[in-house]
Every structure is written in structure tokens, then in C-alpha cells.
Amino acid sequence: MERETQFIGQSAAFQDAVDRASQAAALDRPVLVIGERGTGKELIAERLHRLSARWDKPYVILNCAAMPETLIEAELFGHEAGAFTGATRSRAGRFEEADGGTLFLDELATMSSGAQERLLRAVEYGEITRVGASRPTRVDVRIVAATNEHLPALVEQNRFRADLLDRLSFEVITLPPLRAREGDIEVLATYFGQRMAAVLGWDEWPGFGPRALAAMEGHDWPGNVRELRNVIERAIYRWADPLRPVDALTFDPFASPWQPATRQPATVVEAAAPAAASETVLTAHAPPSGPVSDLRASVDAYEKQILSDTMARCRFNQKVAAEALGLSYDQIRHALKKHGLNQ
């Protein structure tokens, strides 16, 4: 599917962030975009460029985290032939490429201290010097930078230059996480669902069932909109009947009873500490003792007993019970249905 470039959402927190970006776009000043992964930082950066007077000039993107520390300065500022091993010819950097336009620096907090120092001079004086060159070059570039880190805390830890932060923080736009965007989850889910249904050739969009909607609202969405899109598109393509509302979601695609085991370090649990729900499940039930004449029936009865007791202890909240048993939402739904406990 094509790259998503539009903003979808109706919550006040989200609309406020978009409005602030629209207002800041007209001013030729640096802007910092802060937010968790998947909140749309790159879309806001592009909006800042498209609504500015530089809209018809270059828009150049550099992901600082993707560049090795030894190469990021050459990537940003360019280099002369012979400046370092492998530099067989001169090359313009991202600043020169973005001259007259906007340079978007993603994952700003990962930039090395040396690159931060040179970036400060570029922002302060509008001059850059290629690696291996002796004379600076004038550039006219607007800086928009993004990170999911709290930069003032990095300054206190001496991991980010305070003077650079001062220069870049003319405006700071902090994007709200999806869990704080009241009413937007269903709006976004419907949008992504309709698009995926069209890709799969469904004649019409059946919508979501009540269990799927409840699961969406109950999920924390650590990956925000990017995670939501994956969950919805996965659910659509796995759904067998396009005439019925989609009512099953898989939040963790790695969840499987056959996933490889990983070694966990031994932990010491204090005697006075309250037992977690999952620990209680393991100790509250003892397998039936004595001779067993029907293994399958005995295992099923034991499994049903654990499910029944755990659901009661978790006040019949399937999400909480699934976490207590180390299961995914789909897995506990399947188990409850198998034993007739999903009434």
C-alpha cells in the first residue's frame, strides 16, 4: 500500500499537536518533534515542510540511528576526496542537498558528540565544512528534528549538548500516544480495516465485532498507530468470512505454544512479597493424583479447572486472565470456547 501521508484522528490532544505544527510551519525556525515510536513524528516533520515557504525546495531525511558514528559527520556535511579511507571522490552532504529547503533529522538523540558540535555551528552560523576541507560553505537549511527521548534529561547526563538543545527547541511539538487519544482508536482501526478489505477484494466492509472493539480499547498500544495498523491488517487478512464483522485480533504475532524457549536468569522472590497472578495459578492447582485411565480426559479436566479458577480470580476479565496464564488473547478465547467457559 502507498505511504500514509494524511492525519486521521479527532481527539483534542491529537488535533492540538497538528494545529501547533501548522502554526509553526510558517516560521523559518528549528522545530523539535517528540513522541513515542509510531506516533507520527515523520508525518509532522513533512507537514512542517509542506506548509512552509520552502515547500517547493528539497526535503531531505537522515535517520541518525542508521548511520555509524564514524560516518554520520561525512553524511551530514559531505567530504572531500581522500578525507578518509574509501573516499575516492568528493561528495556533498545532506546539508548541501537540502540547501534552500528542510533537513529532517530523525532519531536525533543518537547523534555523536562530535556531530552535535558541528551541527551546532551549522544551525548557529549557517555554515558547514566538508570533512577534509579547509573552507566552510554557506547553506540555507531549516532543521526539523525528532526523537523519542527526553532531551533535557540527556543534557543532565552529559549525553546531549545543552547549547544545541537551546538552538533547536524554538518550538517543541510533543505527540500524544495512541492510548491518550480518546476516540481515535476505533476511527483509525476502521480506516485501516477498510483499506485492507479493499486490498483483499472484499465487496464491502463488515466492521468489527464487540469483542474486537473491546480488545482494542483495552490494549496499551506501546507501538501506537504503527502497531494498530499491523494488528488490524493482520486481523483482516486472517479473517475467514468477509460477510461477518471481524471479531478476532492478534496483538502479539510471536505468541505461539511452539515458540522457542529462552533462558531466563534465576530470580529470588521475597517471602513477604505478594504472589503474582501467574505464580498463584501455578501453585493453586495440583494435578490429579492416583491412577489415570483416560489421559486426555484428565488433562482436559485439569485445564478446565485452571481456566475456571483463573477467570474467577481475575473477575472474568479475559485480558487479565490471559496475562496471568501467559497466553495471548486469542489463545485464551480458544481455550475458553473449547471448555464451554466463554458464556
Side-chain angles (χ1 to χ4, degrees), residues 214-215 218-219 251 276-281 306-307 309-330 332-333 336:
H219 190 57
F251 293 103
S278 58
E279 294 168 339
T280 304
V281 170
I306 294 176
L307 286 167
D309 290 353
T310 304
M311 286 293 292
R313 185 163 43 253
C314 296
R315 298 184 180 182
F316 300 95
N317 185 313
Q318 293 179 7
K319 183 176 184 292
V320 175
E323 292 175 352
L325 291 170
L327 300 175
S328 69
Y329 182 77
D330 286 344
I332 199 168
R333 286 290 307 162
L336 292 172

Side-chain angles (χ1 to χ4, degrees), residues 25-92:
L27 296 176
D28 201 17
R29 296 290 187 276
V31 177
L32 283 176
V33 185
I34 312 295
E36 297 180 6
R37 60 188 174 93
T39 49
K41 297 186 291 296
E42 187 170 339
L43 292 181
I44 288 290
E46 186 170 346
R47 185 179 187 85
L48 287 164
H49 174 71
R50 300 300 176 196
L51 296 182
S52 74
R54 299 170 179 261
W55 65 270
D56 59 342
K57 299 300 190 295
Y59 175 61
V60 178
I61 301 173
L62 176 65
N63 186 331
C64 301
M67 296 301 302
E69 183 176 341
T70 54
L71 294 180
I72 190 167
E73 292 185 47
E75 190 68 26
L76 272 173
F77 309 112
H79 61 80
E80 297 294 342
F84 51 85
T85 304
T88 56
R89 59 178 180 173
S90 299
R91 181 181 181 278

Side-chain angles (χ1 to χ4, degrees), residues 125-186:
Y125 301 108
E127 292 182 348
I128 59 101
T129 302
R130 290 185 180 184
V131 177
S134 57
R135 294 183 179 180
T137 301
R138 296 285 300 177
V139 289
D140 174 22
V141 175
R142 185 193 192 181
I143 300 292
V144 177
T147 181
N148 57 11
E149 298 275 2
H150 184 54
L151 292 178
L154 298 188
V155 169
E156 293 179 1
Q157 300 166 18
N158 294 319
R159 294 169 51 196
F160 198 86
R161 292 183 63 107
D163 45 5
L164 177 58
L165 181 60
D166 291 340
R167 291 294 294 130
L168 294 179
S169 57
F170 168 79
E171 176 64 290
V172 179
I173 300 172
T174 303
L175 301 182
L178 184 57
R179 59 186 172 275
R181 293 170 53 176
E182 185 176 357
D184 282 355
I185 292 176
E186 185 174 353

Side-chain angles (χ1 to χ4, degrees), residues 3 24 98 121 130 182 194 200 234 244 252 328 331:
R3 180 168 173 259
R121 181 171 182 82
R130 290 185 180 184
E182 185 176 357
Q194 290 174 334
L200 296 175
R234 184 187 307 123
R244 290 190 302 113
D252 183 4
S328 69
Q331 287 171 332

